[in-house]
């Protein structure tokens, strides 16, 4: 990557905003999640969330929403605790709350 590479600036900005990971992906590549979503909905596993069926097509691949998209910025945050949350389960005097709650 050269210093003119916008990925460097994007990664720096993402880090300043508190993201732990910043990667890039092609928007043109096949997206297996779209097929998994179709299967999920066709099996009725979405329950009463009708919006999932109603928005299925536009959620099947990023280019359904943004046809001109060439790539995607993928960001991640590690929200895991610094200590083992399972240790708390052995304490009767404490309540345990899920780490993602």
């Amino acid at each position: 990557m050269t210093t003119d590479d916008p990925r460097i600036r994007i990664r720096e900005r993402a880090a300043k905003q508190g993201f732990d990971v910043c990667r890039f992906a092609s928007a043109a590549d096949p997206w297996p999640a779209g097929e998994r979503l179709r299967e999920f909905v066709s099996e009725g596993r979405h329950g009463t969330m009708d919006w999932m069926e109603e928005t299925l097509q536009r959620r099947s691949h990023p280019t359904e929403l943004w046809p001109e998209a060439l790539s995607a910025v993928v960001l991640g945050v590690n929200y895991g605790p610094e200590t083992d949350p399972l240790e708390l389960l052995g304490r009767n005097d404490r309540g345990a709350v899920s780490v993602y709650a």
Side-chain angles (χ1 to χ4, degrees):
M1 284 186 278
T2 68
T3 56
D4 294 339
D5 190 331
R7 294 176 293 180
I8 294 171
R9 293 190 307 278
I10 293 169
R11 283 191 177 110
E12 288 172 354
R13 179 78 182 264
K16 286 179 184 174
Q17 296 295 319
F19 291 99
D20 298 311
V21 176
C22 177
R23 299 289 188 270
F24 305 90
S26 167
D29 289 347
W31 201 43
E35 185 55 35
R36 289 194 307 268
L37 179 61
R38 274 189 279 282
E39 289 174 16
F40 181 86
V41 170
S42 71
E43 293 169 1
R45 297 175 64 196
H46 61 296
T48 60
M49 296 183 288
D50 295 335
W51 61 268
M52 290 188 81
E53 188 170 0
E54 294 163 5
T55 62
L56 182 60
Q57 184 60 36
R58 72 175 185 234
R59 295 170 62 241
S60 65
H61 192 280
T63 57
E64 288 292 327
L65 279 175
W66 304 284
E68 295 86 21
L70 301 177
S71 59
V73 178
V74 183
L75 302 169
V77 175
N78 180 356
Y79 57 83
E82 293 187 18
T83 60
D84 183 357
L86 296 178
E87 293 174 3
L88 186 59
L89 295 178
R91 303 225 16 215
N92 306 10
D93 61 334
R94 307 274 177 181
V97 177
S98 176
V99 296
Y100 61 84

